[in-house]
Amino acid sequence: MFGIGMPELIVIFIVALLVFGPKKLPDLGRALGRGLAEFKRASEELKEGLSADLRLEEEETPSPQPPVAAPQTAPSEPAPSKGDQPDG
């Protein structure tokens, strides 16, 4: 899909060799590797710090619980007694 294949890597290597020369190329590669390692380390530390902050925030504030609804029952009407009925 999207990526650098072998032909692209060869072209990049040849251009870097022409621009920087064979004596500077190992130093350049070493510096690039150190920079990438430092970036990776810093991003991992940031990710760990953010996740720790989120965990602390979740522990400090309890999650709101929805109110418990009373069971729905139909209102019951008392059965009419014999004395309550109109005479007819």
Coordinates of all heavy atoms in Angstrom, one line a residue:
M1 N 0.8 -1.2 0.0 CA 0.0 0.0 0.0 C 0.9 1.2 0.0 O 1.1 1.8 -1.0 CB -0.9 0.0 1.2 CG -2.0 1.0 1.2 SD -3.3 0.2 2.2 CE -4.4 1.6 2.3
F2 N 1.4 1.6 1.2 CA 2.3 2.8 1.2 C 3.5 2.4 2.0 O 3.4 1.9 3.1 CB 1.6 3.9 2.0 CG 2.5 5.1 2.1 CD1 2.7 5.9 1.0 CD2 3.1 5.5 3.3 CE1 3.6 7.0 1.1 CE2 3.9 6.5 3.4 CZ 4.2 7.3 2.3
G3 N 4.6 2.5 1.4 CA 5.9 2.1 2.1 C 7.0 2.3 1.2 O 6.9 2.7 0.0
I4 N 8.2 2.1 1.7 CA 9.4 2.2 0.9 C 9.9 0.8 0.6 O 10.2 0.0 1.5 CB 10.5 2.9 1.7 CG1 10.0 4.4 2.0 CG2 11.8 3.0 0.9 CD1 11.0 5.2 2.8
G5 N 10.0 0.5 -0.7 CA 10.5 -0.8 -1.2 C 12.0 -0.8 -1.4 O 12.7 0.2 -1.1
M6 N 12.5 -1.9 -1.9 CA 13.9 -2.0 -2.1 C 14.4 -1.0 -3.2 O 15.5 -0.4 -3.0 CB 14.2 -3.5 -2.5 CG 15.7 -3.7 -2.6 SD 16.7 -3.3 -1.1 CE 16.2 -4.7 -0.1
P7 N 13.7 -0.8 -4.3 CA 14.2 0.1 -5.3 C 14.3 1.6 -4.7 O 15.3 2.3 -5.0 CB 13.2 0.1 -6.4 CG 12.5 -1.2 -6.3 CD 12.6 -1.5 -4.8
E8 N 13.4 2.0 -3.9 CA 13.4 3.3 -3.3 C 14.6 3.4 -2.4 O 15.3 4.5 -2.3 CB 12.1 3.6 -2.6 CG 10.9 3.8 -3.5 CD 10.2 2.5 -3.9 OE1 10.6 1.5 -3.4 OE2 9.2 2.6 -4.7
L9 N 14.8 2.4 -1.6 CA 16.0 2.4 -0.6 C 17.3 2.5 -1.4 O 18.2 3.3 -0.9 CB 16.0 1.2 0.3 CG 14.9 1.1 1.4 CD1 15.0 -0.2 2.1 CD2 15.2 2.3 2.4
I10 N 17.4 1.8 -2.5 CA 18.7 1.9 -3.3 C 18.9 3.3 -3.8 O 20.0 3.9 -3.7 CB 18.7 0.9 -4.4 CG1 18.7 -0.5 -3.8 CG2 19.8 1.1 -5.4 CD1 18.5 -1.7 -4.8
V11 N 17.8 4.0 -4.3 CA 17.9 5.3 -4.8 C 18.3 6.3 -3.7 O 19.2 7.1 -3.9 CB 16.6 5.7 -5.5 CG1 16.6 7.2 -5.8 CG2 16.4 4.9 -6.8
I12 N 17.7 6.1 -2.5 CA 18.0 7.0 -1.4 C 19.4 6.8 -1.0 O 20.2 7.8 -0.7 CB 17.0 6.7 -0.2 CG1 15.6 7.2 -0.6 CG2 17.5 7.4 1.0 CD1 14.5 6.8 0.4
F13 N 19.9 5.6 -0.9 CA 21.3 5.3 -0.5 C 22.3 5.9 -1.5 O 23.3 6.5 -1.1 CB 21.5 3.8 -0.4 CG 22.9 3.5 0.0 CD1 23.4 3.7 1.3 CD2 23.8 2.9 -0.9 CE1 24.7 3.4 1.6 CE2 25.1 2.6 -0.6 CZ 25.5 2.8 0.7
I14 N 22.0 5.8 -2.8 CA 22.9 6.4 -3.8 C 22.9 7.9 -3.7 O 24.0 8.5 -3.8 CB 22.5 5.9 -5.2 CG1 22.8 4.4 -5.4 CG2 23.2 6.7 -6.3 CD1 22.2 3.8 -6.7
V15 N 21.8 8.6 -3.5 CA 21.7 10.0 -3.4 C 22.5 10.4 -2.2 O 23.3 11.4 -2.2 CB 20.3 10.5 -3.4 CG1 20.2 12.0 -3.0 CG2 19.6 10.3 -4.8
A16 N 22.3 9.7 -1.0 CA 23.0 10.1 0.2 C 24.5 9.9 0.0 O 25.3 10.7 0.5 CB 22.5 9.2 1.3
L17 N 24.9 8.9 -0.7 CA 26.3 8.6 -0.9 C 26.9 9.7 -1.8 O 28.1 10.2 -1.5 CB 26.5 7.3 -1.6 CG 27.9 6.7 -1.8 CD1 28.6 6.5 -0.4 CD2 27.9 5.4 -2.6
L18 N 26.2 10.2 -2.8 CA 26.7 11.3 -3.6 C 26.8 12.6 -2.9 O 27.7 13.4 -3.0 CB 25.8 11.4 -4.9 CG 26.0 10.3 -5.9 CD1 24.9 10.5 -7.0 CD2 27.4 10.2 -6.5
V19 N 25.8 12.9 -2.0 CA 25.7 14.2 -1.3 C 26.7 14.2 -0.2 O 27.4 15.2 0.0 CB 24.2 14.4 -0.8 CG1 24.2 15.6 0.1 CG2 23.3 14.6 -2.0
F20 N 26.7 13.2 0.7 CA 27.6 13.2 1.8 C 28.9 12.6 1.7 O 29.8 12.9 2.5 CB 26.8 12.6 3.0 CG 25.6 13.3 3.4 CD1 24.3 12.8 3.1 CD2 25.6 14.5 4.0 CE1 23.2 13.4 3.4 CE2 24.5 15.2 4.4 CZ 23.2 14.7 4.0
G21 N 29.1 11.7 0.7 CA 30.4 11.1 0.5 C 30.5 9.8 1.4 O 29.8 9.6 2.4
P22 N 31.4 8.9 1.0 CA 31.6 7.6 1.7 C 32.1 7.8 3.1 O 31.9 6.9 3.9 CB 32.5 6.8 0.8 CG 33.3 7.9 0.0 CD 32.3 9.0 -0.1
K23 N 32.8 8.9 3.4 CA 33.4 9.0 4.8 C 32.4 9.5 5.8 O 32.5 9.1 7.0 CB 34.6 9.9 4.7 CG 35.8 9.4 4.0 CD 37.0 10.3 4.0 CE 38.1 9.7 3.2 NZ 39.3 10.6 3.3
K24 N 31.5 10.3 5.4 CA 30.5 10.9 6.3 C 29.2 10.0 6.5 O 28.5 10.2 7.4 CB 30.0 12.3 5.8 CG 31.0 13.3 5.9 CD 30.8 14.0 7.2 CE 31.6 15.3 7.3 NZ 31.4 16.0 8.5
L25 N 29.0 9.1 5.5 CA 27.8 8.3 5.5 C 27.6 7.4 6.8 O 26.5 7.4 7.4 CB 27.7 7.4 4.3 CG 26.3 7.0 3.8 CD1 25.4 8.2 3.7 CD2 26.4 6.2 2.5
P26 N 28.6 6.8 7.3 CA 28.5 6.0 8.5 C 28.1 6.9 9.7 O 27.3 6.5 10.6 CB 29.8 5.3 8.7 CG 30.4 5.2 7.4 CD 29.9 6.5 6.7
D27 N 28.8 8.0 9.8 CA 28.5 8.9 10.9 C 27.0 9.4 10.8 O 26.3 9.6 11.8 CB 29.4 10.1 10.9 CG 30.8 9.7 11.2 OD1 31.0 8.7 11.9 OD2 31.8 10.4 10.8
L28 N 26.6 9.7 9.6 CA 25.2 10.2 9.4 C 24.2 9.1 9.8 O 23.2 9.4 10.4 CB 25.0 10.6 7.9 CG 23.7 11.2 7.6 CD1 23.5 12.5 8.3 CD2 23.6 11.4 6.1
G29 N 24.5 7.9 9.4 CA 23.6 6.8 9.8 C 23.5 6.6 11.3 O 22.5 6.3 11.8
R30 N 24.7 6.7 11.9 CA 24.7 6.5 13.4 C 23.9 7.6 14.1 O 23.2 7.3 15.0 CB 26.2 6.5 13.8 CG 26.4 5.9 15.1 CD 27.9 5.8 15.4 NE 28.6 5.0 14.4 CZ 29.6 5.4 13.7 NH1 30.1 6.6 13.8 NH2 30.2 4.6 12.8
A31 N 24.1 8.8 13.6 CA 23.4 10.0 14.2 C 21.9 9.8 14.0 O 21.1 10.1 14.9 CB 23.9 11.3 13.6
L32 N 21.5 9.4 12.8 CA 20.1 9.2 12.5 C 19.5 8.1 13.4 O 18.4 8.2 13.9 CB 19.9 8.8 11.0 CG 18.5 8.6 10.5 CD1 17.7 9.9 10.6 CD2 18.5 8.1 9.1
G33 N 20.2 7.0 13.6 CA 19.8 5.9 14.5 C 19.6 6.4 15.9 O 18.6 6.0 16.6
R34 N 20.5 7.2 16.4 CA 20.4 7.7 17.8 C 19.2 8.6 17.9 O 18.5 8.6 18.9 CB 21.7 8.5 18.1 CG 22.9 7.6 18.4 CD 24.1 8.4 18.9 NE 25.2 7.6 18.9 CZ 26.5 7.9 18.6 NH1 26.7 9.2 18.2 NH2 27.5 7.1 18.7
G35 N 19.0 9.4 16.9 CA 17.9 10.4 16.9 C 16.5 9.6 16.9 O 15.6 10.0 17.7
L36 N 16.4 8.6 16.1 CA 15.2 7.8 16.1 C 15.0 7.1 17.4 O 13.9 7.0 17.9 CB 15.2 6.8 14.9 CG 15.0 7.4 13.5 CD1 15.2 6.3 12.5 CD2 13.7 8.1 13.4
A37 N 16.1 6.5 18.0 CA 15.9 5.8 19.3 C 15.5 6.8 20.4 O 14.6 6.5 21.2 CB 17.2 5.2 19.6
E38 N 16.0 8.0 20.4 CA 15.6 9.0 21.4 C 14.2 9.4 21.2 O 13.4 9.6 22.2 CB 16.6 10.2 21.3 CG 16.3 11.3 22.3 CD 16.6 10.8 23.7 OE1 17.4 10.0 23.9 OE2 15.9 11.3 24.6
F39 N 13.8 9.6 19.9 CA 12.4 10.0 19.7 C 11.4 8.9 20.1 O 10.4 9.1 20.8 CB 12.2 10.2 18.2 CG 10.8 10.5 17.8 CD1 10.2 11.7 18.1 CD2 10.0 9.5 17.2 CE1 8.9 12.0 17.7 CE2 8.7 9.8 16.8 CZ 8.1 11.1 17.1
K40 N 11.8 7.6 19.9 CA 11.0 6.5 20.3 C 10.9 6.4 21.8 O 9.8 6.2 22.4 CB 11.5 5.2 19.8 CG 10.7 4.0 20.1 CD 11.3 2.7 19.5 CE 10.5 1.5 19.8 NZ 11.1 0.3 19.2
R41 N 12.0 6.6 22.5 CA 12.0 6.6 24.0 C 11.2 7.7 24.6 O 10.4 7.5 25.5 CB 13.5 6.8 24.5 CG 13.6 6.5 25.9 CD 15.1 6.5 26.4 NE 16.0 5.8 25.5 CZ 17.0 6.2 24.8 NH1 17.3 7.5 24.9 NH2 17.7 5.5 24.0
A42 N 11.3 8.9 24.0 CA 10.5 10.1 24.5 C 9.0 9.8 24.2 O 8.2 10.2 25.1 CB 10.9 11.3 23.8
S43 N 8.6 9.3 23.1 CA 7.2 9.0 22.8 C 6.6 8.0 23.8 O 5.5 8.1 24.2 CB 7.0 8.7 21.4 OG 7.6 7.5 21.1
E44 N 7.4 7.0 24.1 CA 7.0 5.9 25.0 C 6.8 6.5 26.4 O 5.8 6.2 27.1 CB 8.0 4.8 25.1 CG 8.0 3.9 23.9 CD 6.7 3.1 23.7 OE1 6.1 2.7 24.7 OE2 6.2 3.0 22.5
E45 N 7.7 7.4 26.8 CA 7.6 8.0 28.2 C 6.3 8.9 28.2 O 5.6 8.9 29.2 CB 8.8 8.9 28.5 CG 10.0 8.1 28.8 CD 11.3 8.9 29.0 OE1 11.1 10.2 29.0 OE2 12.3 8.4 29.2
L46 N 6.0 9.6 27.1 CA 4.9 10.5 27.1 C 3.6 9.6 27.1 O 2.7 10.0 27.9 CB 4.9 11.3 25.8 CG 3.7 12.2 25.6 CD1 3.6 13.3 26.6 CD2 3.7 12.8 24.2
K47 N 3.6 8.5 26.4 CA 2.4 7.7 26.4 C 2.2 7.1 27.8 O 1.0 7.0 28.3 CB 2.6 6.6 25.4 CG 1.4 5.7 25.2 CD 1.4 4.8 24.0 CE 2.7 4.1 23.8 NZ 2.6 3.0 22.7
E48 N 3.2 6.6 28.5 CA 3.1 6.1 29.8 C 2.6 7.1 30.8 O 1.8 6.8 31.7 CB 4.4 5.5 30.3 CG 4.8 4.2 29.5 CD 6.2 3.8 29.9 OE1 6.9 4.4 30.8 OE2 6.7 2.8 29.3
G49 N 3.1 8.3 30.7 CA 2.7 9.4 31.6 C 1.3 9.8 31.4 O 0.5 10.0 32.4
L50 N 0.8 9.8 30.1 CA -0.6 10.1 29.9 C -1.5 9.0 30.4 O -2.6 9.3 31.0 CB -0.8 10.4 28.4 CG -0.3 11.6 27.8 CD1 -0.5 11.7 26.3 CD2 -0.9 12.9 28.5
S51 N -1.1 7.8 30.2 CA -2.0 6.7 30.7 C -2.0 6.6 32.2 O -3.0 6.4 32.8 CB -1.5 5.3 30.1 OG -0.2 5.0 30.5
A52 N -0.9 7.0 32.9 CA -0.9 7.0 34.3 C -1.8 8.1 34.8 O -2.5 8.0 35.8 CB 0.6 7.2 34.8
D53 N -1.7 9.3 34.2 CA -2.6 10.4 34.6 C -4.1 10.0 34.4 O -4.9 10.4 35.3 CB -2.3 11.7 33.7 CG -1.0 12.3 34.1 OD1 -0.5 12.0 35.2 OD2 -0.5 13.2 33.4
L54 N -4.4 9.4 33.3 CA -5.8 9.0 33.1 C -6.2 8.0 34.2 O -7.4 8.0 34.7 CB -6.0 8.4 31.7 CG -5.9 9.3 30.6 CD1 -6.0 8.6 29.2 CD2 -7.1 10.3 30.7
R55 N -5.4 7.0 34.5 CA -5.7 6.1 35.6 C -6.0 6.8 36.9 O -6.9 6.5 37.6 CB -4.6 5.0 35.7 CG -4.8 3.8 34.8 CD -3.8 2.7 35.1 NE -2.7 2.9 34.2 CZ -1.4 3.1 34.6 NH1 -1.1 3.1 35.9 NH2 -0.5 3.3 33.8
L56 N -5.1 7.7 37.3 CA -5.3 8.5 38.5 C -6.6 9.3 38.5 O -7.3 9.3 39.5 CB -4.1 9.4 38.7 CG -2.8 8.8 39.2 CD1 -1.7 9.8 39.3 CD2 -3.0 8.1 40.6
E57 N -6.9 9.9 37.4 CA -8.1 10.7 37.3 C -9.3 9.8 37.4 O -10.3 10.2 38.1 CB -8.1 11.4 36.0 CG -9.3 12.4 35.8 CD -9.2 13.1 34.5 OE1 -8.1 13.6 34.2 OE2 -10.3 13.3 33.9
E58 N -9.3 8.6 36.9 CA -10.4 7.7 37.0 C -10.6 7.2 38.4 O -11.7 7.0 38.9 CB -10.3 6.5 36.0 CG -10.5 6.8 34.6 CD -10.2 5.7 33.7 OE1 -9.7 4.6 34.1 OE2 -10.4 5.8 32.4
E59 N -9.5 7.0 39.1 CA -9.6 6.5 40.5 C -10.1 7.6 41.4 O -10.8 7.4 42.4 CB -8.2 6.1 41.0 CG -7.7 4.8 40.3 CD -6.3 4.4 40.7 OE1 -5.7 5.2 41.5 OE2 -5.8 3.4 40.3
E60 N -9.7 8.9 41.2 CA -10.1 10.0 42.0 C -11.6 10.3 41.9 O -12.3 10.6 42.8 CB -9.3 11.2 41.7 CG -7.9 11.1 42.2 CD -7.1 12.3 41.8 OE1 -7.6 13.3 41.1 OE2 -5.9 12.4 42.1
T61 N -12.1 10.3 40.7 CA -13.5 10.6 40.5 C -14.3 9.3 40.2 O -14.1 8.7 39.2 CB -13.7 11.6 39.3 OG1 -13.1 10.9 38.1 CG2 -13.0 12.9 39.5
P62 N -15.2 9.0 41.1 CA -16.0 7.8 40.9 C -17.0 8.0 39.7 O -17.5 9.1 39.5 CB -16.8 7.6 42.2 CG -16.8 8.9 42.8 CD -15.6 9.7 42.4
S63 N -17.2 7.0 39.0 CA -18.1 7.1 37.9 C -19.5 7.2 38.4 O -20.0 6.6 39.3 CB -18.0 5.9 37.0 OG -18.4 4.7 37.7
P64 N -20.3 8.2 37.8 CA -21.7 8.3 38.3 C -22.5 7.1 37.9 O -22.5 6.6 36.8 CB -22.2 9.6 37.5 CG -21.3 9.6 36.3 CD -20.0 9.0 36.7
Q65 N -23.3 6.6 38.9 CA -24.1 5.5 38.7 C -25.5 6.0 38.4 O -26.0 6.9 39.0 CB -24.1 4.6 39.9 CG -22.7 4.0 40.2 CD -22.8 3.1 41.4 OE1 -23.8 3.0 42.1 NE2 -21.7 2.5 41.8
P66 N -26.2 5.3 37.4 CA -27.5 5.7 37.1 C -28.5 5.5 38.3 O -28.3 4.5 39.0 CB -27.9 4.9 35.9 CG -27.0 3.7 35.9 CD -25.7 4.2 36.6
P67 N -29.5 6.3 38.5 CA -30.4 6.1 39.6 C -31.2 4.8 39.4 O -31.5 4.4 38.2 CB -31.3 7.3 39.5 CG -31.2 7.8 38.2 CD -29.8 7.5 37.7
V68 N -31.4 4.1 40.5 CA -32.1 2.8 40.4 C -33.6 3.1 40.4 O -34.1 3.8 41.2 CB -31.8 1.9 41.6 CG1 -32.6 0.6 41.5 CG2 -30.3 1.6 41.6
A69 N -34.3 2.7 39.3 CA -35.7 3.0 39.2 C -36.5 2.0 40.0 O -36.2 0.8 40.2 CB -36.1 2.8 37.7
A70 N -37.6 2.5 40.6 CA -38.5 1.7 41.4 C -39.2 0.8 40.5 O -39.5 1.1 39.3 CB -39.4 2.6 42.2
P71 N -39.5 -0.4 40.9 CA -40.3 -1.3 40.0 C -41.6 -0.8 39.7 O -42.3 -0.2 40.5 CB -40.4 -2.6 40.9 CG -40.1 -2.2 42.3 CD -39.3 -1.0 42.2
Q72 N -41.9 -0.9 38.4 CA -43.2 -0.3 37.9 C -44.3 -1.3 38.2 O -44.3 -2.5 37.7 CB -43.1 -0.1 36.4 CG -42.1 0.9 36.0 CD -42.5 2.3 36.5 OE1 -43.7 2.7 36.6 NE2 -41.5 3.1 36.8
T73 N -45.3 -0.9 39.0 CA -46.4 -1.8 39.3 C -47.7 -0.9 39.0 O -47.7 0.3 39.2 CB -46.5 -2.2 40.8 OG1 -46.5 -1.0 41.6 CG2 -45.3 -3.0 41.1
A74 N -48.7 -1.6 38.5 CA -49.9 -1.0 38.2 C -50.6 -0.6 39.5 O -50.6 -1.4 40.5 CB -50.8 -1.9 37.4
P75 N -51.2 0.6 39.6 CA -51.9 0.9 40.8 C -53.1 0.0 41.0 O -53.9 -0.2 40.1 CB -52.3 2.4 40.6 CG -52.3 2.6 39.2 CD -51.3 1.6 38.6
S76 N -53.1 -0.6 42.2 CA -54.2 -1.5 42.4 C -55.4 -0.8 43.1 O -55.2 0.0 44.1 CB -53.8 -2.7 43.3 OG -53.3 -2.2 44.5
E77 N -56.6 -1.0 42.6 CA -57.7 -0.4 43.2 C -58.4 -1.4 44.1 O -58.5 -2.6 43.7 CB -58.7 0.1 42.1 CG -58.1 1.2 41.3 CD -59.1 1.7 40.2 OE1 -60.3 1.4 40.4 OE2 -58.7 2.3 39.3
P78 N -58.8 -1.0 45.3 CA -59.5 -1.9 46.1 C -60.8 -2.4 45.5 O -61.5 -1.6 44.8 CB -59.7 -1.2 47.4 CG -59.6 0.3 47.1 CD -58.8 0.3 45.9
A79 N -61.1 -3.6 45.7 CA -62.3 -4.2 45.2 C -63.5 -3.5 45.9 O -63.4 -3.3 47.1 CB -62.4 -5.7 45.4
P80 N -64.5 -3.1 45.2 CA -65.6 -2.5 45.9 C -66.3 -3.5 46.8 O -66.5 -4.6 46.4 CB -66.5 -2.0 44.7 CG -66.1 -2.8 43.5 CD -64.7 -3.2 43.8
S81 N -66.7 -3.0 47.9 CA -67.4 -3.8 48.9 C -68.9 -3.7 48.6 O -69.3 -2.8 47.9 CB -67.0 -3.5 50.3 OG -67.4 -2.1 50.6
K82 N -69.6 -4.5 49.2 CA -71.1 -4.5 49.0 C -71.7 -3.2 49.5 O -72.6 -2.7 49.0 CB -71.7 -5.7 49.7 CG -71.4 -7.0 49.0 CD -72.1 -8.1 49.7 CE -71.7 -9.4 49.1 NZ -72.4 -10.6 49.7
G83 N -71.1 -2.6 50.5 CA -71.7 -1.4 51.0 C -71.3 -0.2 50.2 O -72.0 0.8 50.3
D84 N -70.3 -0.3 49.4 CA -69.9 0.9 48.6 C -70.7 1.0 47.3 O -70.7 2.1 46.7 CB -68.4 0.7 48.2 CG -67.5 0.9 49.4 OD1 -68.0 1.4 50.4 OD2 -66.3 0.5 49.3
Q85 N -71.4 0.0 46.9 CA -72.1 0.1 45.6 C -73.4 0.8 45.8 O -74.1 0.7 46.8 CB -72.4 -1.4 45.1 CG -71.2 -2.1 44.7 CD -71.5 -3.5 44.2 OE1 -72.7 -4.0 44.3 NE2 -70.5 -4.2 43.7
P86 N -73.7 1.6 44.8 CA -75.0 2.4 44.9 C -76.2 1.4 44.8 O -76.2 0.4 44.1 CB -75.0 3.4 43.8 CG -74.0 2.8 42.8 CD -73.0 1.9 43.6
D87 N -77.2 1.8 45.5 CA -78.4 0.9 45.5 C -79.2 1.2 44.2 O -79.4 2.4 43.8 CB -79.4 1.3 46.6 CG -78.7 0.8 48.0 OD1 -78.0 -0.2 47.9 OD2 -79.0 1.4 49.0
G88 N -79.6 0.3 43.5 CA -80.2 0.5 42.3 C -81.3 -0.3 41.9 O -82.0 -1.0 42.2

